[in-house]
Amino acid sequence: MRKWLLYGIGLFSALPGCGQNKSATNVDSGYDRLLRTLYRSEVPTIQPAELVELRRRTPRLVVLDTRTPAEYQVSHLQAARFVDYDQFDPATLRDVPRDQPVVVYCSVGARSQTIGEKLQKLGFRDVRNLYGGIFQWVNEGQPVYDAKGPTSRVHPYSALWGIWLKKGEKAYE
């Protein structure tokens, strides 16, 4: 938790100024700068639009939501499997072949990066981290789901991190 607090403290140094442009990938430039401080190079990233295309081309693709149970219950990507970040158990993935493509995500991509690294150490050969997490997914107009179907609700993790969620309805429960 201390790690997240330190990221949060540094968060506001990455806030965009008035009128700043978005990058070519449709990511707010302040958000993009923040993400670059969080990500390491071990787990390659995949942009939301690339994930849409990969899902279309790769029926065996496994998408893993690495957030908390409360976050997952508010909404998640369609057909995403839940793997609890705080209590990650590799045994929950024993049915997934190590050569099968896997995409991990969380709110912004930091927790999923950690799970992605664990998957690589377990022998998974094609692991990617959703760039910008579920926040960027929703910000780019992609759909999320809850137990009842499509929803506009997204768990913002915290008020501090939720500033990066520009679309959707912020919902903690």
Side-chain angles (χ1 to χ4, degrees), residues 150-162:
T151 184
S152 63
R153 300 174 73 228
V154 180
H155 196 295
Y157 185 72
S158 72
L160 191 63
W161 288 100

Side-chain angles (χ1 to χ4, degrees), residues 90-124:
T92 62
L93 300 174
R94 71 176 72 118
D95 64 315
V96 181
R98 298 304 190 248
D99 63 344
Q100 190 163 336
V102 176
V103 174
V104 292
Y105 75 91
C106 62
S107 296
V108 300
R111 292 177 286 174
S112 52
Q113 175 180 260
T114 299
I115 297 297
E117 291 169 358
K118 289 179 180 184
L119 293 173
Q120 289 173 329
K121 288 177 183 168
L122 291 168
F124 286 88

